[in-house]
Amino acid sequence: GQVGARYNASLWSGYAHLLAGKPGSARDAFEQLAEINDTWPTTFLHRARGQLEVGAIERAAELAGECLERTPGRMVRARALAILGLATGLGDPDRSSEAEDLICEAISLTGGLGLLPYLAEAQQFLAELLHRRGEEERAGYYAARAAEGFANCNMPGHADDARRLRDT
């Protein structure tokens, strides 16, 4: 139980840092997960998220790929696909179609499973990818969907972030 408690404390510390706008501290908290258990797919997932947040796009893609290689459950798989998709698209604009396909698969999985916060997260990632590609109308659509999804899940900070993306 102590390993699980320590793991969860580091995990939630990372997400608290993200909410506080401290991506470097979030990444550091997520990296601590590898010291606790470096075999769980979730370790790779959260480490990928931390790397994505600090702009280490290539490392984020590597970690998300390692997560997927470990055949995680559907929820973790969906989140890893979304991270891998965004990292792929940001890292290599020539692969933006492949990146969109990965994120759309994540959207399909999370929607089918009823994982509404993760659906909104994937929609926000797609909005960011589309915005970077210059597809403002589609980006605005997915950012608005993400904002609405986060708001419906009582996640106002996340909804505000998605609205800011929509309004850029």
Side-chain angles (χ1 to χ4, degrees), residues 123 126-132 135-144 165-166:
Q123 290 168 331
L126 182 55
E128 184 173 343
L129 177 69
L130 295 168
H131 173 68
R132 302 255 181 152
E135 295 184 38
E136 296 307 326
E137 188 172 328
R138 287 183 67 210
Y141 171 80
Y142 282 104
L165 179 61
R166 179 196 65 202

PDB file of all heavy atoms in Angstrom, residues 123 126-132 135-144 165-166:
ATOM      1  N   GLN A 123      -9.963  16.372 -27.271  1.00  0.00           N
ATOM      2  CA  GLN A 123     -10.497  17.416 -28.150  1.00  0.00           C
ATOM      3  C   GLN A 123      -9.633  18.678 -28.080  1.00  0.00           C
ATOM      4  O   GLN A 123      -9.389  19.327 -29.096  1.00  0.00           O
ATOM      5  CB  GLN A 123     -11.943  17.735 -27.772  1.00  0.00           C
ATOM      6  CG  GLN A 123     -12.891  16.603 -28.110  1.00  0.00           C
ATOM      7  CD  GLN A 123     -14.261  16.784 -27.489  1.00  0.00           C
ATOM      8  OE1 GLN A 123     -14.417  17.400 -26.427  1.00  0.00           O
ATOM      9  NE2 GLN A 123     -15.277  16.237 -28.149  1.00  0.00           N
ATOM     10  N   LEU A 126      -6.559  18.064 -30.100  1.00  0.00           N
ATOM     11  CA  LEU A 126      -6.852  18.175 -31.532  1.00  0.00           C
ATOM     12  C   LEU A 126      -6.987  19.643 -31.922  1.00  0.00           C
ATOM     13  O   LEU A 126      -6.486  20.058 -32.972  1.00  0.00           O
ATOM     14  CB  LEU A 126      -8.112  17.393 -31.898  1.00  0.00           C
ATOM     15  CG  LEU A 126      -8.492  17.396 -33.380  1.00  0.00           C
ATOM     16  CD1 LEU A 126      -7.345  16.899 -34.259  1.00  0.00           C
ATOM     17  CD2 LEU A 126      -9.753  16.555 -33.600  1.00  0.00           C
ATOM     18  N   ALA A 127      -7.636  20.436 -31.095  1.00  0.00           N
ATOM     19  CA  ALA A 127      -7.769  21.864 -31.374  1.00  0.00           C
ATOM     20  C   ALA A 127      -6.393  22.519 -31.482  1.00  0.00           C
ATOM     21  O   ALA A 127      -6.147  23.322 -32.386  1.00  0.00           O
ATOM     22  CB  ALA A 127      -8.603  22.549 -30.296  1.00  0.00           C
ATOM     23  N   GLU A 128      -5.490  22.150 -30.579  1.00  0.00           N
ATOM     24  CA  GLU A 128      -4.140  22.730 -30.631  1.00  0.00           C
ATOM     25  C   GLU A 128      -3.415  22.319 -31.911  1.00  0.00           C
ATOM     26  O   GLU A 128      -2.784  23.148 -32.572  1.00  0.00           O
ATOM     27  CB  GLU A 128      -3.322  22.308 -29.415  1.00  0.00           C
ATOM     28  CG  GLU A 128      -1.963  22.964 -29.388  1.00  0.00           C
ATOM     29  CD  GLU A 128      -1.188  22.707 -28.113  1.00  0.00           C
ATOM     30  OE1 GLU A 128      -1.763  22.301 -27.106  1.00  0.00           O
ATOM     31  OE2 GLU A 128       0.039  22.933 -28.157  1.00  0.00           O
ATOM     32  N   LEU A 129      -3.531  21.059 -32.288  1.00  0.00           N
ATOM     33  CA  LEU A 129      -2.908  20.588 -33.522  1.00  0.00           C
ATOM     34  C   LEU A 129      -3.461  21.330 -34.732  1.00  0.00           C
ATOM     35  O   LEU A 129      -2.709  21.807 -35.587  1.00  0.00           O
ATOM     36  CB  LEU A 129      -3.120  19.078 -33.683  1.00  0.00           C
ATOM     37  CG  LEU A 129      -2.586  18.465 -34.976  1.00  0.00           C
ATOM     38  CD1 LEU A 129      -1.061  18.489 -35.003  1.00  0.00           C
ATOM     39  CD2 LEU A 129      -3.111  17.044 -35.132  1.00  0.00           C
ATOM     40  N   LEU A 130      -4.780  21.452 -34.800  1.00  0.00           N
ATOM     41  CA  LEU A 130      -5.420  22.135 -35.926  1.00  0.00           C
ATOM     42  C   LEU A 130      -5.048  23.614 -35.961  1.00  0.00           C
ATOM     43  O   LEU A 130      -4.839  24.187 -37.035  1.00  0.00           O
ATOM     44  CB  LEU A 130      -6.935  21.947 -35.860  1.00  0.00           C
ATOM     45  CG  LEU A 130      -7.411  20.505 -36.044  1.00  0.00           C
ATOM     46  CD1 LEU A 130      -8.889  20.384 -35.675  1.00  0.00           C
ATOM     47  CD2 LEU A 130      -7.159  20.016 -37.455  1.00  0.00           C
ATOM     48  N   HIS A 131      -4.971  24.232 -34.804  1.00  0.00           N
ATOM     49  CA  HIS A 131      -4.562  25.636 -34.728  1.00  0.00           C
ATOM     50  C   HIS A 131      -3.154  25.806 -35.302  1.00  0.00           C
ATOM     51  O   HIS A 131      -2.902  26.730 -36.093  1.00  0.00           O
ATOM     52  CB  HIS A 131      -4.616  26.111 -33.278  1.00  0.00           C
ATOM     53  CG  HIS A 131      -4.068  27.474 -33.063  1.00  0.00           C
ATOM     54  ND1 HIS A 131      -4.677  28.612 -33.545  1.00  0.00           N
ATOM     55  CD2 HIS A 131      -2.948  27.884 -32.430  1.00  0.00           C
ATOM     56  CE1 HIS A 131      -3.956  29.668 -33.205  1.00  0.00           C
ATOM     57  NE2 HIS A 131      -2.904  29.252 -32.534  1.00  0.00           N
ATOM     58  N   ARG A 132      -2.260  24.916 -34.938  1.00  0.00           N
ATOM     59  CA  ARG A 132      -0.885  24.988 -35.451  1.00  0.00           C
ATOM     60  C   ARG A 132      -0.830  24.774 -36.954  1.00  0.00           C
ATOM     61  O   ARG A 132       0.066  25.270 -37.617  1.00  0.00           O
ATOM     62  CB  ARG A 132       0.000  23.966 -34.751  1.00  0.00           C
ATOM     63  CG  ARG A 132       0.043  24.143 -33.263  1.00  0.00           C
ATOM     64  CD  ARG A 132       1.309  24.750 -32.828  1.00  0.00           C
ATOM     65  NE  ARG A 132       1.305  24.864 -31.371  1.00  0.00           N
ATOM     66  CZ  ARG A 132       2.371  24.858 -30.659  1.00  0.00           C
ATOM     67  NH1 ARG A 132       3.551  24.727 -31.234  1.00  0.00           N
ATOM     68  NH2 ARG A 132       2.302  24.994 -29.362  1.00  0.00           N
ATOM     69  N   GLU A 135      -5.811  25.662 -39.353  1.00  0.00           N
ATOM     70  CA  GLU A 135      -7.213  25.323 -39.592  1.00  0.00           C
ATOM     71  C   GLU A 135      -8.054  25.895 -38.447  1.00  0.00           C
ATOM     72  O   GLU A 135      -8.554  25.173 -37.591  1.00  0.00           O
ATOM     73  CB  GLU A 135      -7.389  23.804 -39.691  1.00  0.00           C
ATOM     74  CG  GLU A 135      -6.692  23.201 -40.889  1.00  0.00           C
ATOM     75  CD  GLU A 135      -6.966  21.718 -41.031  1.00  0.00           C
ATOM     76  OE1 GLU A 135      -8.105  21.282 -40.762  1.00  0.00           O
ATOM     77  OE2 GLU A 135      -6.029  20.989 -41.416  1.00  0.00           O
ATOM     78  N   GLU A 136      -8.216  27.217 -38.478  1.00  0.00           N
ATOM     79  CA  GLU A 136      -8.812  27.925 -37.351  1.00  0.00           C
ATOM     80  C   GLU A 136     -10.275  27.551 -37.092  1.00  0.00           C
ATOM     81  O   GLU A 136     -10.697  27.469 -35.945  1.00  0.00           O
ATOM     82  CB  GLU A 136      -8.657  29.435 -37.530  1.00  0.00           C
ATOM     83  CG  GLU A 136      -7.218  29.888 -37.535  1.00  0.00           C
ATOM     84  CD  GLU A 136      -6.400  29.417 -36.338  1.00  0.00           C
ATOM     85  OE1 GLU A 136      -6.931  29.299 -35.221  1.00  0.00           O
ATOM     86  OE2 GLU A 136      -5.198  29.138 -36.540  1.00  0.00           O
ATOM     87  N   GLU A 137     -11.046  27.345 -38.144  1.00  0.00           N
ATOM     88  CA  GLU A 137     -12.457  27.017 -37.936  1.00  0.00           C
ATOM     89  C   GLU A 137     -12.603  25.675 -37.214  1.00  0.00           C
ATOM     90  O   GLU A 137     -13.344  25.567 -36.239  1.00  0.00           O
ATOM     91  CB  GLU A 137     -13.204  26.993 -39.272  1.00  0.00           C
ATOM     92  CG  GLU A 137     -14.712  26.841 -39.091  1.00  0.00           C
ATOM     93  CD  GLU A 137     -15.460  27.022 -40.402  1.00  0.00           C
ATOM     94  OE1 GLU A 137     -15.011  27.794 -41.268  1.00  0.00           O
ATOM     95  OE2 GLU A 137     -16.509  26.369 -40.530  1.00  0.00           O
ATOM     96  N   ARG A 138     -11.897  24.671 -37.701  1.00  0.00           N
ATOM     97  CA  ARG A 138     -11.951  23.357 -37.048  1.00  0.00           C
ATOM     98  C   ARG A 138     -11.344  23.417 -35.650  1.00  0.00           C
ATOM     99  O   ARG A 138     -11.857  22.812 -34.715  1.00  0.00           O
ATOM    100  CB  ARG A 138     -11.223  22.298 -37.875  1.00  0.00           C
ATOM    101  CG  ARG A 138     -11.979  21.888 -39.125  1.00  0.00           C
ATOM    102  CD  ARG A 138     -11.255  20.790 -39.892  1.00  0.00           C
ATOM    103  NE  ARG A 138     -11.259  19.552 -39.118  1.00  0.00           N
ATOM    104  CZ  ARG A 138     -10.292  18.629 -39.189  1.00  0.00           C
ATOM    105  NH1 ARG A 138      -9.255  18.800 -39.987  1.00  0.00           N
ATOM    106  NH2 ARG A 138     -10.356  17.534 -38.465  1.00  0.00           N
ATOM    107  N   ALA A 139     -10.257  24.159 -35.500  1.00  0.00           N
ATOM    108  CA  ALA A 139      -9.628  24.300 -34.189  1.00  0.00           C
ATOM    109  C   ALA A 139     -10.603  24.932 -33.200  1.00  0.00           C
ATOM    110  O   ALA A 139     -10.738  24.461 -32.060  1.00  0.00           O
ATOM    111  CB  ALA A 139      -8.358  25.143 -34.293  1.00  0.00           C
ATOM    112  N   GLY A 140     -11.306  25.959 -33.637  1.00  0.00           N
ATOM    113  CA  GLY A 140     -12.290  26.611 -32.772  1.00  0.00           C
ATOM    114  C   GLY A 140     -13.415  25.679 -32.370  1.00  0.00           C
ATOM    115  O   GLY A 140     -13.882  25.697 -31.229  1.00  0.00           O
ATOM    116  N   TYR A 141     -13.850  24.857 -33.312  1.00  0.00           N
ATOM    117  CA  TYR A 141     -14.910  23.887 -33.030  1.00  0.00           C
ATOM    118  C   TYR A 141     -14.475  22.925 -31.921  1.00  0.00           C
ATOM    119  O   TYR A 141     -15.204  22.716 -30.943  1.00  0.00           O
ATOM    120  CB  TYR A 141     -15.268  23.119 -34.309  1.00  0.00           C
ATOM    121  CG  TYR A 141     -16.191  21.954 -34.070  1.00  0.00           C
ATOM    122  CD1 TYR A 141     -17.562  22.151 -33.917  1.00  0.00           C
ATOM    123  CD2 TYR A 141     -15.704  20.659 -33.972  1.00  0.00           C
ATOM    124  CE1 TYR A 141     -18.415  21.082 -33.682  1.00  0.00           C
ATOM    125  CE2 TYR A 141     -16.542  19.585 -33.735  1.00  0.00           C
ATOM    126  CZ  TYR A 141     -17.899  19.796 -33.596  1.00  0.00           C
ATOM    127  OH  TYR A 141     -18.731  18.733 -33.350  1.00  0.00           O
ATOM    128  N   TYR A 142     -13.283  22.331 -32.061  1.00  0.00           N
ATOM    129  CA  TYR A 142     -12.836  21.352 -31.063  1.00  0.00           C
ATOM    130  C   TYR A 142     -12.464  22.008 -29.743  1.00  0.00           C
ATOM    131  O   TYR A 142     -12.674  21.426 -28.672  1.00  0.00           O
ATOM    132  CB  TYR A 142     -11.687  20.501 -31.619  1.00  0.00           C
ATOM    133  CG  TYR A 142     -12.211  19.447 -32.557  1.00  0.00           C
ATOM    134  CD1 TYR A 142     -12.076  19.591 -33.934  1.00  0.00           C
ATOM    135  CD2 TYR A 142     -12.895  18.338 -32.076  1.00  0.00           C
ATOM    136  CE1 TYR A 142     -12.586  18.641 -34.800  1.00  0.00           C
ATOM    137  CE2 TYR A 142     -13.409  17.387 -32.940  1.00  0.00           C
ATOM    138  CZ  TYR A 142     -13.256  17.550 -34.294  1.00  0.00           C
ATOM    139  OH  TYR A 142     -13.782  16.604 -35.153  1.00  0.00           O
ATOM    140  N   ALA A 143     -11.950  23.229 -29.787  1.00  0.00           N
ATOM    141  CA  ALA A 143     -11.669  23.944 -28.541  1.00  0.00           C
ATOM    142  C   ALA A 143     -12.969  24.238 -27.791  1.00  0.00           C
ATOM    143  O   ALA A 143     -13.028  24.106 -26.567  1.00  0.00           O
ATOM    144  CB  ALA A 143     -10.904  25.234 -28.831  1.00  0.00           C
ATOM    145  N   ALA A 144     -14.012  24.620 -28.528  1.00  0.00           N
ATOM    146  CA  ALA A 144     -15.312  24.875 -27.890  1.00  0.00           C
ATOM    147  C   ALA A 144     -15.886  23.587 -27.303  1.00  0.00           C
ATOM    148  O   ALA A 144     -16.447  23.604 -26.196  1.00  0.00           O
ATOM    149  CB  ALA A 144     -16.286  25.478 -28.902  1.00  0.00           C
ATOM    150  N   LEU A 165      -7.694  28.810 -25.981  1.00  0.00           N
ATOM    151  CA  LEU A 165      -7.239  28.219 -27.246  1.00  0.00           C
ATOM    152  C   LEU A 165      -8.225  28.549 -28.354  1.00  0.00           C
ATOM    153  O   LEU A 165      -7.843  28.893 -29.456  1.00  0.00           O
ATOM    154  CB  LEU A 165      -7.068  26.700 -27.092  1.00  0.00           C
ATOM    155  CG  LEU A 165      -6.614  25.932 -28.320  1.00  0.00           C
ATOM    156  CD1 LEU A 165      -5.252  26.410 -28.789  1.00  0.00           C
ATOM    157  CD2 LEU A 165      -6.561  24.445 -27.992  1.00  0.00           C
ATOM    158  N   ARG A 166      -9.516  28.471 -28.034  1.00  0.00           N
ATOM    159  CA  ARG A 166     -10.559  28.776 -29.015  1.00  0.00           C
ATOM    160  C   ARG A 166     -10.471  30.221 -29.469  1.00  0.00           C
ATOM    161  O   ARG A 166     -10.713  30.535 -30.630  1.00  0.00           O
ATOM    162  CB  ARG A 166     -11.940  28.500 -28.396  1.00  0.00           C
ATOM    163  CG  ARG A 166     -13.109  28.805 -29.315  1.00  0.00           C
ATOM    164  CD  ARG A 166     -14.409  28.899 -28.564  1.00  0.00           C
ATOM    165  NE  ARG A 166     -14.348  30.046 -27.661  1.00  0.00           N
ATOM    166  CZ  ARG A 166     -15.127  30.153 -26.581  1.00  0.00           C
ATOM    167  NH1 ARG A 166     -16.009  29.252 -26.270  1.00  0.00           N
ATOM    168  NH2 ARG A 166     -15.017  31.212 -25.807  1.00  0.00           N
TER     169      ARG A 166
END
